[in-house]
Amino acid sequence: MSIPEVPMKINVKTTIDQDETFELTVFGTYFEKGNSAYLKYEEAMDEGSVRTIVKMARNDALILRGGAIKMRLPFELNRKLNGSYEMPFGQFATVTKARNIDYSYENGKGFFGVLYDFSMEGGPTSTYRLEIAFQEEK
């Protein structure tokens, strides 16, 4: 049985340490499977195309990226979790600790937010706020 994928317009906003903000609007799809919901989208970067899957649930989440950049960022409320970030010149170990996870979806509109501490290869920790607003593309 296939799960219907709903076309979405997706706005991704990332804020790092309240200093830097990156914003991106892309088109992708949304679907639900089991107790989780998923967003899939693709973005073009200088390094090439990157496919992203965001798995969202009430107390945990996972961001997977593949293509020019490979990344695995797991989130669970108040737990340190190991992930990875891979670029053409090497792979790096990451650690995330989610302080807050917010997910809702109703009437074709959804929101996913995660506030988390992030460090790579034991380096200094930065605080990231990821906010993804998405709505059904008619």
Side-chain angles (χ1 to χ4, degrees), residues 14 31 69:
T14 305
F31 63 95
I69 293 174

Side-chain angles (χ1 to χ4, degrees), residues 32-91:
E32 293 176 354
K33 186 176 173 185
N35 293 328
S36 299
Y38 297 81
L39 274 178
K40 285 193 327 192
Y41 60 89
E42 203 163 306
E43 60 187 286
M45 301 178 83
D46 296 340
E47 299 87 345
S49 178
V50 178
R51 293 174 315 283
T52 301
I53 296 174
V54 182
K55 178 184 177 191
M56 306 165 284
R58 195 165 304 291
N59 291 314
D60 62 335
L62 176 65
I63 298 174
L64 294 171
R65 299 178 92 186
I69 293 174
K70 291 180 180 61
M71 184 173 82
R72 184 178 183 281
L73 284 186
F75 302 101
E76 199 176 304
L77 214 47
N78 299 316
R79 276 193 63 201
K80 281 188 176 184
L81 297 176
N82 296 320
S84 61
Y85 192 89
E86 191 178 320
M87 291 175 274
F89 48 87
Q91 183 170 341

Side-chain angles (χ1 to χ4, degrees), residues 8-136:
M8 291 284 168
K9 181 178 183 182
I10 302 167
N11 180 269
V12 182
K13 183 177 171 188
T14 305
T15 306
I16 305 169
D17 290 331
Q18 299 175 347
D19 301 330
E20 289 179 88
T21 300
F22 303 95
E23 226 167 317
L24 165 78
T25 300
V26 292
F27 292 91
T29 57
Y30 170 89
F31 63 95
E32 293 176 354
K33 186 176 173 185
N35 293 328
S36 299
Y38 297 81
L39 274 178
K40 285 193 327 192
Y41 60 89
E42 203 163 306
E43 60 187 286
M45 301 178 83
D46 296 340
E47 299 87 345
S49 178
V50 178
R51 293 174 315 283
T52 301
I53 296 174
V54 182
K55 178 184 177 191
M56 306 165 284
R58 195 165 304 291
N59 291 314
D60 62 335
L62 176 65
I63 298 174
L64 294 171
R65 299 178 92 186
I69 293 174
K70 291 180 180 61
M71 184 173 82
R72 184 178 183 281
L73 284 186
F75 302 101
E76 199 176 304
L77 214 47
N78 299 316
R79 276 193 63 201
K80 281 188 176 184
L81 297 176
N82 296 320
S84 61
Y85 192 89
E86 191 178 320
M87 291 175 274
F89 48 87
Q91 183 170 341
F92 304 94
T94 64
V95 176
T96 56
K97 183 180 179 188
R99 297 191 205 177
N100 187 36
I101 297 174
D102 184 17
Y103 163 66
S104 62
Y105 182 75
E106 203 174 339
N107 301 325
K109 284 188 171 182
F111 178 80
F112 170 71
V114 62
L115 176 67
Y116 63 99
D117 297 327
F118 175 84
S119 67
M120 191 155 54
E121 290 293 322
T125 299
S126 297
T127 300
Y128 281 65
R129 178 183 296 279
L130 173 65
E131 297 169 294
I132 302 176
F134 50 100
Q135 69 180 30
E136 205 169 316

